[in-house]
Amino acid sequence: MSTQPAVVGERAGDAGGAPGAATDRALAWAAERAGDARGRNGERCLDHARATIGILRDLGVDEAVLSAAALVSPVEQLPLRDIEGAFGPEVARLVDGMRQIRRLRELHSAPGATAAGQGETLRRMMLAMATDIRVVLLRLASRLQSLRYHAAARRAPDAAIARETLEVLAPLANRLGLWQLKWELEDLAFRFLEPDTYRQLARQLEERRVQREAFVAAAIERLHAELAAAGLGAEISGRPKHLYSIYNKMRSKGRALEEISDLRGLRVIVDTVAQCYSALGVVHALWTQVPQEFDDYIARPKPNGYRSLHTVVLADDGRPLEVQIRTHDMHRFAEYGVASHWRYKEHGAKGAGRGGGRDAAAGYDEQIAWMRQLLAWQKEVGQALGSAPTRADARREGGDAGVPQAVAPSAQPALDERIYVLTPQARVIELPAGATPVDFAYHVHTSLGHRCRGARVDGHMVPLTTPLQNGQTVEIIAAKETGHEGPSRDWLNPQLGYVRSARTRNKVRQWFNARELERDAAAGRERVERVLQREGRTALALEELARRLGFDAVTPMFVAVARDEIGPRQLEEAVRGPASDAAVPAVTAAGTVAQQAAELGPLLAPRRHASQASGRGDGVLVVGIESLMTQLARCCRPVPPDAIVGFVTRGRGVSVHRDGCATFARMAERAPERVIATAWSGEALKGEGEARPRRFPANVEVQASDRPGVLRDIGEIFARDRLNVTAVQTLSRQQVTSMRFTVEVPDAMQLARTLAAVRDVNGVMQARRR
């Protein structure tokens, strides 16, 4: 996202061209192409553009915004590509942002739009406006002109347009401090939504207008004399009344029109903050203060930055009179809101030695302040709309295996499912609610996430487990890029709370999987090279060896060797050289199992009977064939009653794999004619017919917190369930212990029960069969 690209108030003409020249050229360019094109409400596009430009000029925006206002409509006659070519990328971006928001409005007001859809539209609107505050000013000015057009034509707009103005755009203008726009937007929308109430209230105010104006004039004269006697120079004026504001107070406080305190109001403007409080003393000495009706917005500004002193006094006639006291700077902000920061700031910036621009830090501060107001508006409007969280949002980021996802009640706003935080450069980052600085770092860039070592939130150091809140500015403290930095395994432990986003957790897992793959590939290469040296076949190309073992590349072969998916004997035979392919004739799909055995007979060694194996046979039957040698594959370690399949090997009988084994899938793809049907014998399934139950080796992988006694506790579970442990491998890194066991079990059900008990051991994060 780009930062604020231009200073409001410093127009393009100030840089060398005549003020307004670019806008005039844009209007002429649009007139040539658009002609008499009209918008949906019947207003000519060019008339709308000229009136919108007039509103924007009052806000003091730059020439790019004025040019963009001339080029927004009609879309068909003014393609974005042509606009960029004629007026540059900055104007094109503003036009595109405005058009995006208009399209979102159409979705928002479509028949049947749900509250959840409104919340999603609001979220997208916020992101569209986040790129540049000037897009917001364009939107507000354009809507105000549309309502003025309808008022002049005495024709009400669509109710959806008036409602959106009241519920979405007017609160946005309020958040930005654009009160002149806010009041007019509210009054016009109120006029179209509640025409009878509007006319009745206007008539009541008009009946007392002459009396009210006479009173205000007398009060101004008296207060001016008192302030002058106190040595205070001040500008005093009556405050204009806004119908929707009065209507809201009557409705919320349950009062009649005569009881509203700010029907009669004065505004006092002085030079300094100290004079504000001096003037307040004069007012309270002149008239009686109404208790509980004083607000010091100078000491405690409103969230949108508004500052002023508000007090209500009882005038000579015993009726309330509201007085607002502020400085000239405060008044400018009250009139122009956030735009006043750019319009009136640093008038001397164009003087000698200033360089004509703001420093980057000040620009970022202003952009961050603007974004926080936008986020606050989004939350307020989302709550007012009462939209429910969308399931799509919850699935997109929040759904993790270890974190149950429940759909919140409809009273909770959808926007609570998402938060928006800022980078130090004021870029907006969208995250799931509850996200941490680690989630933030990975969202910015995967490399930054891997190197994340600390975080500052709003300038303060915080733990990496701190949940982030809307509008916060987050800075990541990262390790230098050395090629060896990486995440911590603690981040994968949901109990520690480092990671909330499924996207982040997947990236952390991918990093560790890649490192494990590298280690296994290195270990496998070392084993293969030792076998080649021992067999005197160092001249054998590794690619050829991989092909003999059924792999497309050498790296998967190294990994398979390291993980014992390829046994030492199989590797040695491949190094020595495979038998001629002609020795293994192809088997047609129509051939019977007996025919397959006859054709492959020379390769199949006799199999010992189970009685000869003293209970240690593998209990596997090759369908339709007896006395075949079978062996349980070490890559997947099948255990009854797993679904199994067989693969005819060269000289080692039938290798039996679990259905779904990755190694078997690769071999079957290479040589589908060698696949053969297999099944467990009845004795293997029932565990009967022998002096003691047959046992089958199975591989188990356990991950647990690295604490004293964890291996002992797991071993006690195996001993309790009478499982013999034949091999153990452990690796501890960054407070996490990875353990691999080979255990002998009677069947898969017993193994599942044992693993369930292992998962209950304190500190165990994962226990699964490999």
Side-chain angles (χ1 to χ4, degrees), residues 526-691:
E526 187 178 351
R527 287 193 194 180
V528 169
E529 289 175 348
R530 282 203 303 265
V531 172
L532 290 173
Q533 290 176 355
R534 187 170 63 245
E535 297 293 332
R537 299 294 303 275
T538 54
L540 177 63
L542 294 174
E543 289 77 8
E544 171 61 20
L545 180 59
R547 188 191 64 78
R548 294 178 184 179
L549 290 168
F551 294 94
D552 293 328
V554 295
T555 299
M557 175 188 70
F558 293 149
V559 173
V561 170
R563 296 177 179 177
D564 292 329
E565 295 174 4
I566 297 176
R569 180 178 175 186
Q570 185 179 359
L571 178 60
E572 290 170 359
E573 290 177 352
V575 168
R576 292 168 188 162
S580 171
D581 289 341
V584 185
V587 180
T588 64
T592 64
V593 174
Q595 290 172 333
Q596 294 178 31
E599 293 172 353
L600 300 175
L603 298 177
L604 304 178
R607 178 188 174 215
R608 295 182 298 167
H609 292 288
S611 59
Q612 296 175 310
S614 301
R616 304 299 291 177
D618 53 33
V620 176
L621 299 177
V622 177
V623 177
I625 307 174
E626 295 182 358
S627 300
L628 285 182
M629 182 179 75
T630 60
Q631 59 177 348
L632 301 179
R634 299 176 64 185
C635 55
C636 57
R637 302 279 196 190
V639 174
D642 292 340
I644 54 175
V645 289
F647 187 86
V648 179
T649 65
R650 293 185 175 94
R652 294 181 293 110
V654 177
S655 175
V656 180
H657 298 256
R658 271 195 286 171
D659 190 14
C661 172
T663 303
F664 172 81
R666 287 197 298 269
M667 295 189 299
E669 185 178 2
R670 286 276 183 179
E673 69 277 2
R674 298 191 180 194
V675 176
I676 194 166
T678 56
W680 297 105
S681 65
E683 291 82 0
L685 292 173
K686 297 178 182 178
E688 300 172 352
E690 299 177 15

Side-chain angles (χ1 to χ4, degrees), residues 637-643 658 696 698 745-755 769:
R637 302 279 196 190
V639 174
D642 292 340
R658 271 195 286 171
F696 299 87
V745 298
D747 53 52
M749 285 79 77
Q750 176 60 58
L751 179 58
R753 289 191 293 270
T754 301
L755 290 179
R769 182 179 172 191

Side-chain angles (χ1 to χ4, degrees), residues 71 211 283 458 497 536 636 706 709 734 745:
L71 302 168
Q211 177 185 356
V283 171
D458 291 336
C636 57
D706 189 5
Q734 297 183 348
V745 298

Side-chain angles (χ1 to χ4, degrees), residues 88 188 191 200 321 363 413 439 453 455 474 546 631 652 656 659 723 726 734 757:
L188 287 171
R191 172 180 176 177
Q200 180 183 0
L321 170 68
D439 293 310
R453 295 297 178 265
V474 185
Q631 59 177 348
R652 294 181 293 110
V656 180
D659 190 14
L723 302 188
T726 60
Q734 297 183 348

Side-chain angles (χ1 to χ4, degrees), residues 212-228 234-240 264-268 282-283 286-287 315-316 321-323:
R212 190 169 55 249
E213 288 178 353
F215 169 83
V216 168
I220 290 175
E221 184 177 354
R222 184 175 178 187
L223 180 58
H224 196 280
E226 292 294 332
L227 291 173
E235 298 176 13
I236 308 175
S237 61
R239 287 182 52 246
R264 306 184 302 177
L266 301 180
R267 178 173 296 140
V268 180
V282 172
V283 171
L286 182 60
W287 293 299
D316 297 333
L321 170 68
E322 186 186 49
V323 181

Side-chain angles (χ1 to χ4, degrees), residues 402-559:
V403 183
Q405 296 297 312
V407 178
S410 59
Q412 180 182 359
L415 301 174
D416 286 352
E417 290 295 313
R418 319 292 302 168
I419 62 170
Y420 301 88
V421 294
L422 310 174
T423 69
Q425 293 75 35
R427 175 186 167 196
V428 179
I429 302 296
E430 181 183 10
L431 297 169
T436 66
V438 177
D439 293 310
F440 171 88
Y442 274 100
H443 195 99
V444 172
H445 198 280
T446 302
S447 172
L448 182 63
H450 290 338
R451 297 184 292 113
C452 176
R453 295 297 178 265
R456 290 189 184 94
V457 175
D458 291 336
H460 302 287
M461 291 293 298
V462 298
L464 290 179
T465 55
T466 303
L468 300 176
Q469 305 295 326
N470 253 333
Q472 290 181 326
T473 301
V474 185
E475 178 185 359
I476 297 300
I477 300 171
K480 293 182 179 180
E481 291 193 65
T482 63
H484 302 290
E485 65 282 343
S488 166
R489 282 196 179 271
D490 287 347
W491 297 356
L492 293 176
N493 186 344
Q495 297 175 347
L496 298 179
Y498 281 97
V499 171
R500 171 68 175 83
S501 164
R503 180 172 177 262
T504 301
R505 189 170 283 109
N506 288 337
K507 288 189 175 185
V508 175
R509 285 197 186 106
Q510 288 171 7
W511 189 90
F512 283 110
N513 290 341
R515 301 291 85 73
E516 185 177 355
L517 194 66
E518 290 175 2
R519 290 194 298 270
D520 288 346
R525 174 184 284 274
E526 187 178 351
R527 287 193 194 180
V528 169
E529 289 175 348
R530 282 203 303 265
V531 172
L532 290 173
Q533 290 176 355
R534 187 170 63 245
E535 297 293 332
R537 299 294 303 275
T538 54
L540 177 63
L542 294 174
E543 289 77 8
E544 171 61 20
L545 180 59
R547 188 191 64 78
R548 294 178 184 179
L549 290 168
F551 294 94
D552 293 328
V554 295
T555 299
M557 175 188 70
F558 293 149
V559 173

